Amino acid sequence: TQLNQIFKKNLNEIQICKDDQAMPFHVIPDFFKSAIESQLFSLSLSYMNIDISSIFTILNGIDTQLEKLDLSGNFCSSIFTGKYDISSSLATINLKSVRWEGKSFLKFLGLQVFTSQVNINLSRATFSGDKFESFKELPTSPPTPMISKLKWNHNPITSHILLFIEKYTFLDDVSFDNCEVAEDDNILEGFSHFLEKTHLSRFSIVSTLKKFKTQMMFALRSPLLFHPNLSRLNISGNEIGDEGLPVLRDVILQSESIIQVSFDSCGIQKPISLIQFLNEISSSHLLHLSKPRNDFQHLLSKSPKNIQKELKDAWSNLESKLNKNKEIAGVNSENEPSLNSIINSAYDESTSMLDTG
């Protein structure tokens, strides 16, 4: 009765989170029945020690208007089957920081089908057993091509996992930030192949390949340069160094699709390297370049005043050129906020249901 009174208030969104005690199982069916029968389009039940398998069981075969479901910080028991009929209205599922018991994670990846395009956050997954060995049991192909946006941040990553993910044929936006790479894995070749086989518009790989330094840029140069769809690229934190900047320059200047780039904390040691880079890419068709603030601060702190001025001037000149590019692209001062909102959404989603992890 109390639940019915709550849902009669024409709510669009409910958030319940960070409960120290598990939600009693007998409460969950009634809660979801009321939620599904209402006009609710967004439901957040994060960090409540809920078994996700029970949620999927309740959603199985139910026609609902629910569009966003946040189950981050909960757990998924081994009874999860991965054979649930999920409503096509559900477009965003946040499963960040979930504890996957038994083979539930493999079942989710290898068995769960979605009938419409869906955005999924699987970042910071934890599970029992060897974090790399368990993924060797992944099937050759996923059961559904319909995942269009995937967050895989702070998770193990191998060439085998990339071969699996690349077969999400609708995949448009993916981030592999701060992932752990297996020691004996040829991950650079794996990412190169991944970029060649996917039709992404956005690719983020913050800090994941930092141990490879400049070698990373040489390995990914061609697939980035010739990618026909990629428009947004984030390689921050990968320590590509001074030697990697010319490679990034080539990618920016020769790519026909990339218009937004972020490359902060890349271990640049020589002010002249960054000055030359900024001057050379001023002839590109970029619309946005995130200022490498950490590298800038480091270089300014150790440079004489004349070099500091050169750095600042190079950045100022580039900003002016980017603004001209926006004008040419039809972005004026009145509608520029809409462009900025698009840019910001690519790199700063920490407050959204599908946050970056």
Side-chain angles (χ1 to χ4, degrees):
T1 303
Q2 290 178 330
L3 289 173
N4 290 333
Q5 292 300 316
I6 292 174
F7 289 110
K8 283 180 180 179
K9 297 181 183 294
N10 294 321
L11 299 176
N12 290 322
E13 180 175 353
I14 289 181
Q15 294 187 17
I16 306 174
C17 61
K18 296 187 183 301
D19 198 326
D20 291 333
Q21 301 297 321
M23 177 181 281
F25 184 78
H26 69 276
V27 173
I28 296 176
D30 290 339
F31 182 89
F32 262 79
K33 184 175 184 294
S34 299
I36 291 169
E37 292 175 352
S38 72
Q39 302 298 312
L40 203 65
F41 75 87
S42 179
L43 178 61
S44 178
L45 297 171
S46 58
Y47 297 90
M48 292 186 63
N49 200 26
I50 292 175
D51 185 356
I52 288 170
S53 64
S54 64
I55 302 297
F56 274 74
T57 298
I58 295 167
L59 289 174
N60 184 36
I62 299 296
D63 186 22
T64 174
Q65 295 188 48
L66 196 64
E67 298 175 7
K68 298 180 180 180
L69 179 61
D70 184 355
L71 297 173
S72 57
N74 292 298
F75 74 98
C76 187
S77 70
S78 57
I79 66 172
F80 184 88
T81 66
K83 298 180 179 180
Y84 305 98
D85 178 13
I86 302 300
S87 172
S88 60
S89 67
L90 192 58
T92 301
I93 307 175
N94 189 352
L95 298 173
K96 173 187 170 184
S97 299
V98 167
R99 186 177 78 254
W100 301 87
E101 298 180 352
K103 295 187 177 181
S104 57
F105 196 46
L106 286 174
K107 289 179 180 178
F108 180 86
L109 293 172
L111 297 174
Q112 185 57 54
V113 172
F114 296 97
T115 57
S116 59
Q117 291 189 40
V118 60
N119 303 340
I120 297 184
N121 189 344
L122 293 173
S123 299
R124 297 182 185 272
T126 58
F127 25 78
S128 57
D130 186 284
K131 53 192 168 187
F132 292 109
E133 281 294 322
S134 58
F135 286 105
K136 291 181 178 180
E137 296 182 37
L138 277 174
T140 305
S141 300
T144 177
M146 304 303 290
I147 294 180
S148 58
K149 182 174 182 179
L150 177 65
K151 300 290 183 185
W152 191 270
N153 304 330
H154 297 272
N155 285 346
I157 191 67
T158 65
S159 297
H160 183 66
I161 295 172
L162 288 172
L163 282 171
F164 178 84
I165 294 176
E166 76 178 31
K167 294 183 176 70
Y168 289 127
T169 53
F170 285 88
L171 191 62
D172 175 72
D173 184 335
V174 66
S175 63
F176 298 104
D177 298 346
N178 299 286
C179 291
E180 184 177 354
V181 178
E183 289 296 329
D184 57 348
D185 193 273
N186 192 353
I187 197 66
L188 292 181
E189 184 177 323
F191 270 115
S192 178
H193 184 273
F194 177 83
L195 287 167
E196 290 172 354
K197 296 297 183 180
T198 53
H199 304 283
L200 305 172
S201 69
R202 185 211 171 200
F203 179 64
S204 180
I205 192 171
V206 175
S207 296
T208 292
L209 300 177
K210 61 184 178 182
K211 71 178 182 179
F212 298 100
K213 301 184 182 295
T214 306
Q215 187 182 355
M216 178 200 105
M217 286 307 303
F218 285 108
L220 302 186
R221 180 185 182 276
S222 290
L224 287 174
L225 196 156
F226 294 109
H227 199 290
N229 307 104
L230 190 65
S231 61
R232 304 194 296 268
L233 174 66
N234 190 347
I235 59 167
S236 297
N238 281 297
E239 299 184 16
I240 65 173
D242 300 73
E243 297 81 5
L245 284 181
V247 184
L248 180 58
R249 174 205 61 203
D250 291 345
V251 170
I252 291 173
L253 291 177
Q254 298 181 48
S255 167
E256 296 183 357
S257 58
I258 295 176
I259 58 173
Q260 300 173 23
V261 173
S262 182
F263 69 108
D264 196 12
S265 300
C266 280
I268 303 166
Q269 299 300 318
K270 300 175 183 177
I272 189 61
S273 297
L274 185 55
I275 292 170
Q276 185 174 351
F277 171 79
L278 296 175
N279 288 335
E280 289 175 341
I281 67 168
S282 65
S283 62
S284 73
H285 58 267
L286 280 183
L287 298 182
H288 178 77
L289 183 76
S290 295
K291 187 173 185 178
R293 298 185 183 280
N294 291 326
D295 291 314
F296 245 85
Q297 184 177 3
H298 169 68
L299 295 173
L300 289 173
S301 68
K302 70 174 191 176
S303 300
K305 288 186 177 180
N306 63 317
I307 299 299
Q308 291 182 21
K309 184 178 185 304
E310 282 193 59
L311 269 170
K312 293 175 181 178
D313 287 347
W315 179 257
S316 179
N317 292 336
L318 177 61
E319 279 191 315
S320 297
K321 181 58 170 64
L322 295 181
N323 287 331
K324 289 181 180 179
N325 287 350
K326 292 174 186 177
E327 292 176 8
I328 294 172
V331 180
N332 56 36
S333 58
E334 292 182 358
N335 61 19
E336 187 168 339
S338 63
L339 174 67
N340 288 337
S341 66
I342 294 172
I343 291 169
N344 291 336
S345 69
Y347 300 113
D348 184 15
E349 296 172 310
S350 59
T351 58
S352 71
M353 176 173 285
L354 195 75
D355 67 56
T356 58

